[in-house]
Amino acid sequence: MANTHGYINTTHCASWDVDAYTCSGVGSADIDNGVFVTLGTMNVDGAALNIEGYEFNVTAADDTATTAWVVDTPEVGSTLEMQLMSDPRYFYNIAGKPMTLRYLVPKVDCIEVDANCFVGGTMPTTTNNVVTIGAGGKLVAGTVTPTGGKVYFTLEGFHKVSVGMVDVPTAVLRIQAN
């Protein structure tokens, strides 16, 4: 496993202090932090509708998303390798295991993400300052503001986070529609 998994900072989001904007999800595939998902049904045992846990079945969102739930699980790690690495880019959410989801409040919440959260690992620039959700729930930088209540972000600026002795470039995005 390489350090190519998404890094996200949600400390500038309402969900940091408001538990109602946080829930749990379970995916049928491995999912990185910083990936946007769509909530499905609650996890139940079948026809009897006995709740197995207060978590939602999730799938990766796409460019039609009108709500923003982002994966932001604390980097504890499910494997020994994840637990030994102090670099959050080694961490990912294993299929079938609970993950933390955060709802983003339009016009207020800002997220900080690294290049691994973007399709193709390409960060936005000052000339492509509109960011939308693309394939696999990852972000796409562009210039066209979507319509119809679709989720999009504006690029507020750039930052760096220190991971060991490396400064990792990040983009700070503010959600605009939801």
Side-chain angles (χ1 to χ4, degrees), residues 102-124:
R102 297 188 182 277
Y103 176 78
L104 301 182
V105 178
K107 308 283 188 197
V108 176
D109 285 352
C110 290
I111 58 173
E112 180 179 7
V113 294
D114 75 344
N116 295 317
C117 295
F118 289 86
V119 172
T122 304
M123 293 272 281

Side-chain angles (χ1 to χ4, degrees), residues 86-161:
S86 61
D87 185 336
R89 297 168 301 160
Y90 278 90
F91 177 80
Y92 63 97
N93 297 279
I94 295 177
K97 300 287 185 183
M99 64 187 86
T100 302
L101 308 177
R102 297 188 182 277
Y103 176 78
L104 301 182
V105 178
K107 308 283 188 197
V108 176
D109 285 352
C110 290
I111 58 173
E112 180 179 7
V113 294
D114 75 344
N116 295 317
C117 295
F118 289 86
V119 172
T122 304
M123 293 272 281
T125 65
T126 55
T127 58
N128 58 1
N129 57 3
V130 174
V131 176
T132 58
I133 298 173
K138 291 200 170 195
L139 299 168
V140 177
T143 57
V144 178
T145 302
T147 59
K150 294 179 186 170
V151 173
Y152 76 97
F153 301 84
T154 53
L155 174 65
E156 295 294 314
F158 298 102
H159 194 240
K160 291 181 183 176
V161 294

Side-chain angles (χ1 to χ4, degrees), residues 7 112 123 157-163 166-172:
Y7 165 83
E112 180 179 7
M123 293 272 281
F158 298 102
H159 194 240
K160 291 181 183 176
V161 294
S162 295
V163 179
V166 177
D167 283 338
V168 178
T170 58
V172 176

